Amino acid sequence: MPKSVSVTRFIIIFLSFYLTVNLGSSAYAQKAVVFSKPGPLDFHAQISENILKKAYARIGIVITTKEFSGERALRESNSGRLDGEVNRIRGIDKNYKNLRIVPVAINALKGTVFTKLPELKIRKWQDLKSLTIGLRLGAKFAEYNTQGMRVISAATNKMVFRMLDRDRVDVVISTALEGTITKMKLELKGISMVEPPLVTLDLFHFLHKDHEDLLPRITAALKAMEREARIKKIRDTAFKRYTN
């Protein structure tokens, strides 16, 4: 085979591979990829969004987010009106069947009890059965574990903690980070965090099923960031900033 023919064939193969890889990225770059984010003031989701922006940049995609109350965020992403969830606990796709997990933990939450009753000892979920519990709507880790109990839900963490401050509930279940920051922002006195946390759970990114083609690429990007300790660094920096 003449040398010029083999060179031409190599160029054609290279260009075909280049276009296959890069046209996929450019198609997403030209059209906004938008993820739902629970809020307001969901600090874990904000940290996870920062991680995802770095990860998607590695595969040539710019992402944006829209913030909704916790439950509505899931409805928006599951319906396909948005392209996925910034972060949720593992297993959320059992009830929201159009979501696909990206199998790299990008964050973690500590499900924690807050109360004005200093003598209260809570070690497990069943210890809450005799109490009135305040929850933020859409906090699935808490909703799933308090089914059948006396629960009062509100749209935001601020509303839930104000209920506790006014003695409308005995305890609030929140994450250690969000509960601590909410208490500080509202300048609430006499509310303490019960140690240890009830549960520690990893948080994962979810894509709508229409974007399953992105799964291997974003999984690889997040695994690379995990190996480089980039995910941990972003989380640690954000935690220090928020808690200070």
Side-chain angles (χ1 to χ4, degrees):
M1 180 184 295
K3 187 175 181 181
S4 60
V5 174
S6 61
V7 170
T8 302
R9 177 177 290 179
F10 171 79
I11 292 171
I12 291 170
I13 292 171
F14 175 79
L15 285 174
S16 298
F17 173 78
Y18 178 86
L19 290 171
T20 300
V21 171
N22 288 280
L23 282 179
S25 294
S26 63
Y28 278 100
Q30 289 163 9
K31 149 184 132 165
V33 179
V34 186
F35 300 126
S36 61
K37 181 173 73 172
L41 299 179
D42 187 317
F43 298 99
H44 290 90
Q46 184 57 55
I47 295 168
S48 296
E49 179 182 352
N50 294 340
I51 292 166
L52 291 179
K53 283 180 175 177
K54 300 289 187 184
Y56 275 94
R58 293 186 176 211
I59 60 174
I61 297 172
V62 176
I63 70 165
T64 58
T65 63
K66 289 188 176 181
E67 188 175 82
F68 303 94
S69 63
E71 186 63 40
R72 187 181 167 193
L74 281 166
R75 291 200 302 268
E76 293 292 318
S77 58
N78 190 62
S79 70
R81 287 188 290 272
L82 295 181
D83 302 312
E85 283 282 319
V86 167
N87 68 195
R88 290 286 176 170
I89 60 173
R90 184 189 292 277
I92 204 77
D93 45 343
K94 290 178 182 176
N95 293 323
Y96 300 88
K97 298 184 181 298
N98 293 327
L99 297 179
R100 303 290 182 265
I101 191 170
V102 179
V104 181
I106 60 172
N107 212 334
L109 64 80
K110 292 181 179 181
T112 307
V113 173
F114 292 81
T115 185
K116 292 172 70 178
L117 306 171
E119 74 283 0
L120 200 60
K121 304 296 182 189
I122 302 292
R123 293 290 180 268
K124 56 187 184 298
W125 292 101
Q126 288 304 307
D127 293 340
L128 299 165
K129 284 184 75 173
S130 63
L131 303 172
T132 303
I133 305 161
L135 300 181
R136 189 192 72 177
L137 280 167
K140 294 301 179 183
F141 80 93
E143 289 180 1
Y144 292 157
N145 285 288
T146 56
Q147 288 181 2
M149 298 185 192
R150 203 159 56 243
V151 172
I152 300 176
S153 298
T156 67
N157 275 321
K158 284 185 176 181
M159 293 169 70
V160 173
F161 272 83
R162 284 195 178 107
M163 288 195 300
L164 179 59
D165 185 52
R166 294 165 185 165
D167 299 318
R168 289 188 55 207
V169 295
D170 301 312
V171 296
V172 160
I173 301 172
S174 183
T175 68
L177 177 64
E178 289 171 3
T180 300
I181 294 173
T182 302
K183 187 178 73 163
M184 288 166 55
K185 282 181 175 290
L186 296 177
E187 299 182 350
L188 300 178
K189 307 299 182 185
I191 294 176
S192 58
M193 182 169 70
V194 179
E195 295 279 9
L198 279 173
V199 66
T200 300
L201 295 169
D202 287 332
L203 295 170
F204 297 85
H205 176 41
F206 285 80
L207 286 165
H208 187 269
K209 66 180 182 180
D210 288 349
H211 300 288
E212 280 185 299
D213 58 310
L214 282 178
L215 267 172
R217 295 166 61 204
I218 193 58
T219 299
L222 285 169
K223 282 183 175 178
M225 289 178 66
E226 188 177 51
R227 287 193 301 272
E228 298 160 10
R230 287 288 297 153
I231 292 176
K232 183 179 185 303
K233 184 175 181 181
I234 293 170
R235 286 177 55 195
D236 289 350
T237 301
F239 267 69
K240 285 178 184 175
R241 185 173 72 250
Y242 287 139
T243 52
N244 286 335

